[in-house]
């Protein structure tokens, strides 16, 4: 039978990314926010974490359950790291690496500039669509994901007291 720390870690590995994805999809579907390319990058590790955490509930071997929870925690941590990068792009601490975080300038003929503008993404990655107390959604994802992943890993490492 799994100990209390492991049960908390396993539920956290499932519920944290599920809640973050519910918030992201809810803000998109009901709040009218349109995710940029880097927003989608942050979602993929959460989808992976949800799948891994669900596996931790169904695989029979306790050792494999722990591995699934640990992998889910690292997937959540990955989303948080992408969130840090995306927030840094939004705060203009560093440049983005995608077309959605760059201006369509760059010279060339008028036709070249027009083509770049027409093919530019609708949503810029370097302009947050929403922020609260100066923290964008990417920043909140970074805070919740990194904090949650470290908590899950700490719970996994906690030993049952005698």
């Amino acid at each position: 039978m799994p100990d209390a720390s492991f049960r908390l870690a396993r539920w956290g590995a499932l519920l944290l990314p599920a809640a973050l994805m519910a918030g992201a999809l809810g803000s998109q579907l009901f709040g009218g926010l349109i995710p940029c390319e880097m927003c989608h990058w942050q979602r993929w590790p959460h989808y992976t974490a949800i799948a891994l955490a669900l596996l931790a509930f169904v695989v029979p071997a306790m050792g494999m359950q722990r591995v699934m929870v640990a992998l889910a925690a690292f997937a959540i941590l990955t989303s948080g790291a992408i969130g840090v990068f995306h927030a840094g792009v939004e705060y203009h601490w560093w440049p983005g690496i995608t077309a959605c975080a760059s201006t369509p300038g760059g010279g060339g003929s008028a036709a070249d500039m027009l083509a770049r503008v027409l093919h530019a993404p609708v949503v810029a990655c370097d302009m947050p669509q929403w922020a609260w107390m100066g923290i964008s959604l990417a920043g909140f994802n970074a805070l919740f994901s990194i904090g949650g992943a470290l908590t899950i890993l700490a719970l996994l490492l906690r030993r049952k007291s005698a």
Side-chain angles (χ1 to χ4, degrees):
M1 173 176 234
D3 62 37
S5 294
F6 174 73
R7 284 194 307 271
L8 280 172
R10 184 171 56 182
W11 278 106
L14 177 63
L15 295 178
L16 176 64
L20 290 171
M21 286 311 307
L25 293 171
S27 69
Q28 179 180 342
L29 297 173
F30 305 111
L33 300 182
I34 302 169
C36 72
E37 184 177 356
M38 285 196 272
C39 293
H40 285 290
W41 293 355
Q42 294 169 78
R43 293 177 182 193
W44 287 106
H46 285 312
Y47 296 141
T48 302
I50 292 167
L52 289 166
L54 285 171
L55 282 174
F57 281 92
V58 298
V59 295
M62 177 54 111
M64 283 306 296
Q65 290 177 9
R66 288 188 171 278
V67 168
M68 294 296 131
V69 171
L71 290 173
F74 283 113
I76 295 165
L77 193 61
T78 300
S79 179
I82 297 168
V84 168
F85 179 75
H86 187 186
V89 170
E90 290 175 335
Y91 299 131
H92 303 286
W93 294 340
W94 46 73
I97 57 174
T98 66
C100 71
S102 62
T103 58
S109 70
D112 291 339
M113 288 187 278
L114 180 61
R116 280 194 299 276
V117 169
L118 293 176
H119 292 95
V122 175
V123 179
C125 293
D126 59 350
M127 300 298 296
Q129 293 185 48
W130 183 89
W132 184 60
M133 294 182 8
I135 303 172
S136 68
L137 288 173
F140 278 113
N141 179 58
L143 292 171
F144 288 126
S145 293
I146 293 170
L150 294 176
T151 301
I152 292 164
L153 290 171
L155 287 167
L156 272 179
L157 294 173
R158 187 185 274 178
R159 295 288 175 214
K160 193 189 291 189
S161 57

